[in-house]
Amino acid sequence: MILQLFSLLIMPTELTMAHTEDAIVQLSQVPVGPYEMTIWAYPGIMRAGSIHYTVLVIDAANAEPLDNATILIEAIPLSGQGDVVSANAVQGSDGANPSFYETDLALKEEGTYQIKIVVQDPSEQVYSQQFQIEVVSITSLKIILSVFSILTVIIIVWFVIESLQTWGLNGSLVKNKEAWSKTQKRIRSISQTD
């Protein structure tokens, strides 16, 4: 299992178009013109790669979801390096929540991004809202996980060796041969009385 975990950590990563359950609310019921907008981002730890956005726009007047809008999500790197990444969010791709607009942005570089959400309602009025995210390098996470995995393996091996010595199950690991022979005699005498 440790070997499999280690091999997963050293394998190259690819962009994925799926999201997980660890969503982070980026904006919650924020006013955008006559609407209120809530935005979730997946995964919770923003790693370089694919980041999934889910947007819900509610009409503030009647508390009904806004349907048939055009929603553009744009990621602008604040470092000035890298390209602006944008995509249109599609409504109804989540069968359980047909009013949600969803899309993925492939942010390949680590750093701080300005995320701009542009909403064009059916009457062609345009509204926007912005927030910032921090994208971390997947390499640094892999290094940290690799170090912890190696430490875990070392501790497990140490526990196994100590257990074998403590229970007298492996004579080749015993440093004191005289103590080992006494332990073996005690084990034999205990097993013979049983």
Side-chain angles (χ1 to χ4, degrees):
M1 186 169 80
I2 298 294
L3 184 59
Q4 289 175 340
L5 176 63
F6 184 72
S7 65
L8 284 174
L9 293 174
I10 62 172
M11 290 174 52
T13 60
E14 294 182 19
L15 299 178
T16 58
M17 300 306 280
H19 59 271
T20 59
E21 296 298 322
D22 60 341
I24 298 292
V25 176
Q26 299 294 331
L27 299 175
S28 179
Q29 298 177 340
V30 174
V32 181
Y35 307 106
E36 291 180 347
M37 183 166 47
T38 302
I39 301 170
W40 296 268
Y42 308 83
I45 297 175
M46 303 283 181
R47 300 180 292 271
S50 181
I51 298 176
H52 185 85
Y53 290 94
T54 300
V55 181
L56 175 63
V57 181
I58 301 288
D59 190 330
N62 59 19
E64 291 292 320
L66 176 64
D67 293 323
N68 303 317
T70 301
I71 297 183
L72 175 73
I73 302 178
E74 216 174 36
I76 304 152
L78 293 181
S79 67
Q81 300 174 355
D83 297 328
V84 174
V85 179
S86 64
N88 283 320
V90 178
Q91 185 180 22
S93 58
D94 182 355
N97 300 297
S99 298
F100 288 5
Y101 295 83
E102 300 188 50
T103 194
D104 293 304
L105 293 182
L107 304 179
K108 298 178 182 178
E109 301 294 326
E110 63 181 289
T112 305
Y113 287 83
Q114 183 79 30
I115 305 298
K116 183 178 180 183
I117 314 293
V118 179
V119 178
Q120 182 178 4
D121 66 14
S123 68
E124 298 190 1
Q125 293 294 316
V126 177
Y127 309 97
S128 68
Q129 188 58 258
Q130 300 180 49
F131 60 93
Q132 289 184 5
I133 63 167
E134 182 73 29
V135 175
V136 298
S137 169
I138 191 71
T139 305
S140 61
L141 289 175
K142 283 185 174 183
I143 290 171
I144 291 169
L145 289 174
S146 297
V147 168
F148 281 120
S149 298
I150 291 168
L151 288 174
T152 302
V153 169
I154 290 169
I155 291 170
I156 289 171
V157 168
W158 179 78
F159 272 122
V160 168
I161 292 171
E162 288 298 315
S163 297
L164 291 174
Q165 288 179 356
T166 301
W167 294 102
L169 299 175
N170 191 344
S172 63
L173 297 176
V174 175
K175 295 173 189 165
N176 187 342
K177 296 293 182 183
E178 186 178 324
W180 170 251
S181 64
K182 288 181 183 178
T183 302
Q184 287 297 89
K185 288 178 187 175
R186 276 191 231 122
I187 291 172
R188 282 190 211 115
S189 65
I190 291 171
S191 62
Q192 290 172 359
T193 57
D194 289 339

